[in-house]
């Protein structure tokens, strides 16, 4: 019997289509294999997954493959190339519509039709629908460089600060590939030729900058929907958060180095980059073999990039992870693959053919006039080099070199995610900021880091000795013997302190004068909960539940949410878990919950505002939380609350959820809110009458108070949580809470030992940090005298700058932490 394979971007869609087809078989069995989605929740297609599905479906009489659209077709074609020749000959890729085609194909296969008959039946699947619903015959759209009068067209102005660079371009290409329409673009401002909108490489060559007008031409079955969708996408900046214009970047070159991750590292300087790749000028007699070699390398790199994307989304944020979408699209780019295949068919081996194709695209981008878009040529080269290294069997720098200090202009989250503390003793960056995502990840890994050191550090030669103190924001190149000894002594002291902290990690943290301070963990996955338990967390102070909702076609149901929350609770062994309700906004829309474009999404419908606009979504989450709260201590925390009406509305939905569960009020259920909005901090006394606790999100509170995006290097010095204005908002929260509500801090500042002293002095009694920072944070608390910390905090409140506030508490860092 002929086997069938369903290739779809959505695993849920594929399963539903298969279930529908099986309903038509009345008990007869047809082998149908699914190759859909990158995982249960993530859209995408994978050639290696399709190969496995074909192998599973093949019962000796051939296989018919049905696909949805866009890159599913490209992945299926690549999968065909990856198959050995005997298997490949028995496989047909069928362009029939996925749902109707699958139903008809399944019936035909069950009736004993051969693979050609099955494919023909699938292709005719729309005949009945077409006869009942007459439609105009589709027009031919030959390649052309001028718009055809019958097509739909439109124009949008690029509002993104850096134009259509990697992230917004990738967002556009992803959306176009999901639509049954032909979409072409041209830069009306500069008069470029038309390019296909489904090709990331071609969209990049438009050179579309901030303020440029881009013309759209659309045809096909979903032309009208496609045009409306793209115009809406452009209106909301392609879902990219606002950025500073490129020309302000040089302002960061002159600033002083800043501490980003504590610790001391001494070692030879090591470059972040691979050495030049020597590409052999090889020819080959068998193009099919070379194409399969390239296909396998592409598949290997694709798997690696996807793993980095998942890890970055989990450890940092979905926004940072989105940069990998551009890399994945390049690996599937039809124009780029066609260029490589043309050269392979002309007699080149896989490596030089790919190298030449990437080089051509690189040169097109490098020739653009805008410096920011020119820099995107480096992104293309980086992705291309990954494939070359896979083809040529070249391993990475970490595997080649000895341990040392990594010197870089900046690091992407992917690069930071790859670093290992046993190889990289410290990181020294010319740019970046302490609150950038790469710095957050490096802190989580325990790698000493200094950022904002200026462009001069890029002149440090490989092999030169560098000493870095990430806690003080200091570095020395080629230090004299006495300086080297001082750094080594500091490193030994910190190592001893770390060992001692780990030894006592499970014990409670009390200040010298007996004040208890809870040290909690910020958690973004079940695996984080396990690490937190090992590190001695008193509780989970923040569980970012949105990791359950991102990148999927439908919201997780109540049972799925309950199961994950229980798994987190079990990993923490009965300790309290603080579950923050869905914290999503216009800047990071959910696939299953599209939201209208907003001029400033960070000030728009996000956090509790979005949840209250979708009460059933919030109620389902609260039901899952209440179920778990009957068996383990649970705190529910509402994000982005700005006024009392929002809190009371959320509490009413919580009451409804308790009634729906039907077991009464859970004994240990607590309710709290995030303090991220300055207005909420100033109204803390009003909120305290209705909550058990406050949790201050200092990252957002700082950027709202100082009007400075924490991910924008150009304003990194402005958005400083040590600023007295921010400290006064924290003090106002603690004062308003009084004895009625505990005050916690769950921002990055909580793990800074100088900040911990200020926070405790201001009245904070819970510090929630990354899991691996827990032992050190507890040891910091034990070194403090709360009365002395209060005195210093009062001085810091009236300091004239963030730098002065830091100086006030710096002496506390010399306190004997062995106490």
């Amino acid at each position: 019997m002929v086997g069938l394979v369903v290739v779809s971007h959505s695993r849920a869609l594929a399963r539903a289509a298969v279930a529908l087809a099986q309903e038509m078989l009345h008990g007869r069995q047809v082998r149908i294999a699914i190759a859909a989605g990158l995982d249960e929740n993530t859209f995408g297609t994978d050639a290696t997954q399709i190969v496995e599905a074909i192998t599973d479906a093949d019962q000796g009489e051939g296989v018919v493959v049905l696909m949805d659209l866009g890159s599913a077709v490209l992945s299926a074609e690549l999968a065909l190339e990856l198959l050995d020749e005997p298997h490949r000959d028995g496989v047909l890729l069928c362009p029939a519509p996925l749902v109707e085609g699958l139903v008809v194909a399944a019936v035909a296969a069950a009736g004993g039709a051969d693979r050609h008959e099955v494919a023909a039946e699938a292709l005719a699947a729309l005949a009945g629908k077409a006869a009942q619903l007459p439609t105009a015959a589709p027009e031919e759209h030959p390649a052309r460089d001028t718009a055809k009068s019958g097509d739909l067209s439109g124009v949008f102005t690029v509002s993104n600060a850096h134009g259509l660079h990697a992230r917004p371009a990738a967002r556009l290409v992803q959306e176009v590939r999901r639509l049954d329409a032909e979409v072409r673009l041209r830069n009306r401002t500069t008069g470029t030729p038309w390019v296909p909108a489904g090709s990331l490489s071609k969209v990049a060559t438009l050179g579309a900058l901030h303020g440029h007008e881009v013309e759209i031409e659309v045809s096909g079955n979903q032309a009208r929907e496609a045009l409306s969708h793209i115009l809406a996408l452009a209106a909301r900046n392609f879902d990219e958060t606002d950025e500073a214009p490129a020309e302000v970047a040089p302002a960061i070159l002159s600033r002083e180095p800043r501490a980003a991750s504590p610790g001391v590292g001494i070692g030879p300087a090591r470059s972040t980059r691979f050495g030049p790749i020597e590409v052999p000028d090889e020819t080959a007699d068998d193009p099919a073999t070379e194409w399969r070699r390239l296909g396998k390398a592409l598949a290997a790199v694709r798997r690696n990039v996807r793993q980095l994307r998942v890890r970055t989304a989990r450890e940092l944020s979905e926004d940072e992870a989105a940069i990998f979408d551009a890399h994945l699209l390049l690996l599937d780019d039809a124009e780029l693959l066609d260029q490589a295949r043309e050269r392979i068919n002309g007699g080149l081996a896989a490596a030089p053919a790919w190298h030449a194709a990437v080089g051509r695209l690189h040169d097109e981008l490098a020739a653009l006039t805008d410096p920011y878009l020119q820099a995107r040529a480096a992104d293309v080269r980086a992705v291309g080099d990954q494939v070359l290294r896979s083809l040529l069997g070249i391993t990475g720098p970490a595997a080649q070199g000895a341990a040392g200090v990594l010197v870089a202009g900046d690091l992407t989250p992917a690069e930071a995610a790859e670093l290992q503390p046993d190889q990289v003793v410290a990181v020294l960056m010319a740019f970046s900021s302490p609150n950038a995502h790469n710095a957050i990840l490096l802190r989580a890994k325990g790698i000493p880091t200094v950022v904002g050191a200026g462009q001069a550090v890029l002149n440090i030669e490989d092999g030169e000795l560098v000493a870095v103190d990430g806690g003080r924001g200091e570095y020395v190149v080629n230090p004299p013997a006495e300086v080297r000894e001082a750094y080594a002594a500091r490193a030994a002291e910190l190592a001893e302190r770390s060992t001692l902290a780990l030894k006592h990690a499970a014990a409670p943290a009390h200040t010298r004068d007996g004040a208890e301070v809870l040290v909690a963990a910020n958690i973004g996955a079940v695996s984080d909960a396990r690490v937190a338990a090992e590190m001695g967390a008193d509780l989970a102070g923040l569980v970012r539940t949105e990791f359950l909702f991102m990148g999927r076609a439908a919201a997780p149901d109540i049972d799925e949410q309950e199961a994950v929350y229980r798994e987190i609770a079990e990993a923490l062994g009965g300790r309290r878990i603080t579950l923050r309700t869905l914290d999503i906004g216009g800047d990071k829309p959910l696939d299953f919950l599209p939201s209208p474009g907003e001029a400033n999404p960070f000030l728009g419908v996000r956090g509790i505002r979005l949840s209250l606009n979708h009460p059933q979504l919030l109620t389902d989450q609260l039901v899952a939380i209440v179920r778990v709260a009957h068996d383990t201590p649970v705190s529910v925390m509402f994000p982005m609350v700005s006024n009392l009406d929002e809190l009371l509305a959320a509490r009413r939905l919580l009451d409804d959820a308790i009634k729906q569960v039907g077991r009464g009020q859970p004994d240990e259920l607590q309710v709290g809110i995030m303090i991220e909005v300055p207005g909420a901090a100033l109204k803390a006394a009003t909120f305290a009458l209705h909550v058990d606790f406050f949790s201050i999100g200092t990252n957002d509170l700082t950027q709202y108070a100082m009007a400075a995006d924490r991910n924008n290097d150009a304003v990194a010095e402005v958005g400083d949580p040590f600023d007295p204005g921010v400290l006064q908002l924290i003090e106002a929260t603690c004062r308003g809470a009084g004895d009625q509500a505990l005050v916690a801090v769950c921002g990055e500042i909580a793990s800074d030992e100088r900040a911990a002293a200020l926070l405790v002095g201001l009245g904070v009694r819970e510090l929630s940090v990354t899991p691996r920072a827990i032992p050190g944070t507890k040891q910091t608390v034990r070194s403090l005298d709360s009365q002395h910390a209060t005195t210093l905090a009062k001085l810091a409140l009236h300091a004239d700058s963030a730098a002065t506030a830091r100086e006030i508490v710096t002496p506390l860092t010399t306190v004997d932490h062995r106490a």
Side-chain angles (χ1 to χ4, degrees):
M1 185 180 294
V2 173
L4 303 176
V5 169
V6 178
V7 179
S8 172
H9 287 76
S10 165
R11 193 166 294 181
L13 172 61
R15 286 174 173 159
V18 170
L20 180 62
Q22 289 173 334
E23 283 289 317
M24 309 300 171
L25 299 180
H26 304 291
R28 290 174 293 176
Q29 296 299 312
V30 174
R31 183 74 65 86
I32 306 176
I34 290 175
L38 305 184
D39 55 39
E40 289 292 337
N41 305 320
T42 308
F43 288 134
T45 56
D46 184 346
T48 53
Q49 188 184 97
I50 298 170
V51 169
E52 293 170 359
I54 291 172
T55 303
D56 181 56
D58 193 354
Q59 302 174 82
E61 296 186 33
V63 174
V64 174
V65 180
L66 296 105
M67 304 142 283
D68 51 18
L69 46 86
S71 60
V73 180
L74 290 171
S75 296
E77 290 177 328
L78 181 56
L80 203 59
E81 296 292 341
L82 295 176
L83 285 169
D84 295 332
E85 195 164 340
H87 292 95
R88 192 184 320 137
D89 293 340
V91 180
L92 288 176
L93 303 184
C94 180
L98 181 64
V99 177
E100 295 91 340
L102 178 61
V103 170
V104 173
V107 173
D114 63 29
R115 65 180 185 277
H116 297 286
E117 292 170 327
V118 169
E121 285 289 309
L123 278 170
L126 286 180
K129 187 187 292 184
Q132 189 169 348
L133 302 169
T135 58
E139 294 185 70
E140 293 294 324
H141 290 280
R144 59 199 185 278
D145 197 51
T146 58
K148 187 174 179 179
S149 60
D151 294 337
L152 295 176
S153 61
V155 177
F156 65 84
T157 300
V158 179
S159 299
N160 301 70
H162 293 314
L164 282 181
H165 66 91
R167 269 180 284 195
R171 187 82 172 95
L172 170 63
V173 172
Q174 284 175 320
E175 294 303 309
V176 167
R177 287 187 179 185
R178 292 177 181 176
L179 297 164
D180 184 13
E182 179 190 349
V183 182
R184 303 197 314 151
L185 307 172
R186 76 181 186 95
N187 189 330
R188 176 190 277 187
T189 303
T190 60
T192 66
W194 291 92
V195 300
S199 168
L200 183 63
S201 63
K202 290 300 181 183
V203 171
T205 63
L206 290 175
L209 306 179
H210 177 80
H212 280 190
E213 289 188 337
V214 175
E215 192 170 357
I216 316 169
E217 178 200 283
V218 191
S219 60
N221 292 335
Q222 290 185 297
R224 191 169 301 280
E225 296 93 326
L227 180 61
S228 298
H229 191 62
I230 293 168
L231 290 175
L233 194 63
R236 61 178 194 262
N237 287 5
F238 299 95
D239 297 329
E240 183 179 45
T241 55
D242 208 12
E243 299 174 329
E247 58 266 23
V248 306
I252 67 175
L253 299 181
S254 62
R255 70 172 181 232
E256 291 297 314
R258 297 182 65 188
S261 177
V264 172
I266 307 170
R270 301 296 181 196
S271 169
T272 58
R273 304 299 171 200
F274 289 85
I277 299 175
E278 297 293 332
V279 182
D281 187 16
E282 293 179 335
T283 58
D285 297 328
D286 185 1
T289 298
E290 294 304 304
W291 180 246
R292 280 197 295 276
R293 285 187 60 221
L294 177 58
K296 289 178 180 177
L298 288 165
V301 172
R302 193 181 292 109
R303 282 195 300 272
N304 178 257
V305 173
R306 282 173 179 156
Q307 288 167 358
L308 284 175
R309 192 199 189 289
V310 170
R311 188 190 314 167
T312 304
R314 183 178 68 243
E315 296 177 345
L316 299 177
S317 75
E318 181 65 23
D319 190 49
E320 287 298 327
I323 189 62
F324 296 120
D325 294 335
H327 296 185
L328 291 168
L329 288 168
L330 276 171
L331 293 169
D332 278 335
D333 192 277
E335 299 283 339
L336 186 57
L337 294 176
D338 285 347
Q339 287 285 330
R341 189 163 196 165
E342 182 180 326
R343 288 168 170 79
I344 288 174
N345 289 339
L348 280 180
W354 174 256
H355 183 59
V358 169
R360 175 174 173 172
L361 175 57
H362 171 276
D363 293 345
E364 288 180 358
L365 290 171
L368 297 173
T369 56
D370 178 70
Y372 193 88
L373 290 174
Q374 284 177 344
R376 303 289 63 77
D379 294 339
V380 171
R381 179 65 74 189
V383 175
D385 284 354
Q386 280 183 275
V387 177
L388 278 177
R389 287 192 291 271
S390 181
L391 277 168
L392 300 172
I394 299 173
T395 56
Q400 293 175 350
V405 174
L406 193 66
V407 179
D410 202 346
L411 292 174
T412 66
E415 290 167 329
E418 290 292 289
L419 301 183
Q420 298 302 322
D422 60 347
Q423 283 289 320
V424 179
V425 299
V427 172
L428 176 61
M429 283 190 268
F431 313 123
S432 194
S433 76
N435 292 321
H437 284 136
N438 51 21
I440 292 171
L441 182 54
L442 290 168
R443 276 197 294 277
K445 287 175 171 285
I447 299 176
T449 302
V450 168
V451 299
Q455 199 163 8
V457 300
L458 301 180
N459 297 324
I460 298 173
E461 295 290 336
D462 272 17
E464 286 191 279
L465 192 67
V466 180
V468 173
D469 187 328
R472 298 183 179 183
E474 300 173 352
Y475 72 95
V476 182
V477 182
N478 293 321
E482 62 274 16
V483 174
R484 194 161 60 245
E485 289 170 4
Y487 270 76
R490 209 179 300 167
E493 179 188 349
L494 290 173
E496 181 183 355
R497 184 188 304 173
S498 177
T499 301
L500 186 65
L502 195 58
K503 180 180 178 181
H504 298 290
H510 293 86
T511 64
R512 288 177 178 270
D513 52 341
E516 182 179 15
V517 178
L518 299 172
V519 179
N522 295 334
I523 289 172
V526 176
S527 57
D528 290 344
R530 298 190 184 102
V531 175
E534 293 172 6
M535 294 293 108
D538 296 324
L539 70 154
L542 167 63
V543 178
R544 301 181 177 97
T545 62
E546 49 273 9
F547 77 90
L548 266 170
F549 294 78
M550 299 296 293
R552 53 191 299 162
D557 62 23
I558 295 172
D559 291 342
E560 181 182 350
Q561 292 187 59
E562 178 188 356
V564 174
Y565 302 153
R566 286 191 184 281
E567 196 172 354
I568 290 171
E570 288 167 7
L572 281 161
R575 299 175 180 89
R576 177 171 293 277
I577 60 172
T578 304
L579 296 167
R580 182 177 68 187
T581 60
L582 187 61
D583 190 13
I584 294 292
D587 58 313
K588 290 179 287 186
L590 295 169
D591 290 341
F592 61 85
L593 197 68
S595 55
E598 295 180 292
N600 193 333
F602 275 108
L603 300 179
V605 182
R606 57 177 305 211
I608 194 63
R609 301 170 185 174
L610 182 140
S611 293
L612 291 176
N613 282 352
H614 301 275
Q616 190 58 54
L617 185 68
L618 178 56
T619 298
D620 286 351
Q621 185 172 28
L622 293 174
V623 168
I625 290 171
V626 170
R627 286 181 183 177
V628 177
H630 278 290
D631 302 309
T632 194
V634 169
S635 297
V636 60
M637 180 162 66
F638 299 112
M640 198 69 189
V641 173
S642 56
N643 61 61
L644 186 60
D645 287 344
E646 291 171 337
L647 172 59
L648 296 179
R651 292 214 61 146
R652 283 194 294 271
L653 290 178
L654 177 59
D655 291 339
D656 292 343
I658 291 171
K659 291 176 184 175
Q660 186 173 329
V661 173
R663 296 173 59 188
Q665 175 85 18
D667 292 337
E668 296 194 70
L669 178 65
Q670 294 184 358
V671 179
I673 62 172
M674 294 279 290
I675 298 292
E676 301 160 282
V677 180
L682 297 174
K683 296 181 291 188
T686 300
F687 287 118
L689 299 173
H690 304 276
V691 298
D692 300 298
F693 67 95
F694 296 125
S695 186
I696 303 174
T698 51
N699 298 343
D700 272 331
L701 183 64
T702 300
Q703 72 173 351
Y704 287 134
M706 304 306 296
D709 183 351
R710 66 191 176 98
N711 292 314
N712 187 336
D713 280 351
V715 294
E717 289 189 341
V718 179
D720 192 325
F722 277 86
D723 187 275
V726 178
L727 297 179
Q728 288 173 31
L729 290 171
I730 296 172
E731 190 273 338
T733 304
C734 294
R735 180 164 29 86
D739 295 329
Q740 290 187 298
L742 176 141
V743 178
V745 167
C746 61
E748 285 298 313
I749 193 175
S751 59
D752 183 322
E753 62 183 48
R754 293 167 299 180
L758 280 180
L759 295 173
V760 171
L762 291 171
V764 172
R765 287 299 177 263
E766 180 185 312
L767 302 173
S768 195
V769 300
T770 57
R772 295 193 183 280
I774 290 167
T777 304
K778 283 191 170 185
Q779 210 58 359
T780 295
V781 170
R782 295 178 186 122
S783 73
L784 301 176
D785 179 288
S786 63
Q787 295 303 315
H788 181 49
T790 299
T791 300
L792 294 179
K794 288 178 180 178
L795 293 173
L797 286 173
H798 301 289
D800 58 9
S801 67
T804 303
R806 275 191 180 82
E807 290 173 3
I808 288 170
V809 290
T810 295
L812 285 179
T813 64
T814 63
V815 172
D816 184 2
H817 282 251
R818 289 171 294 182

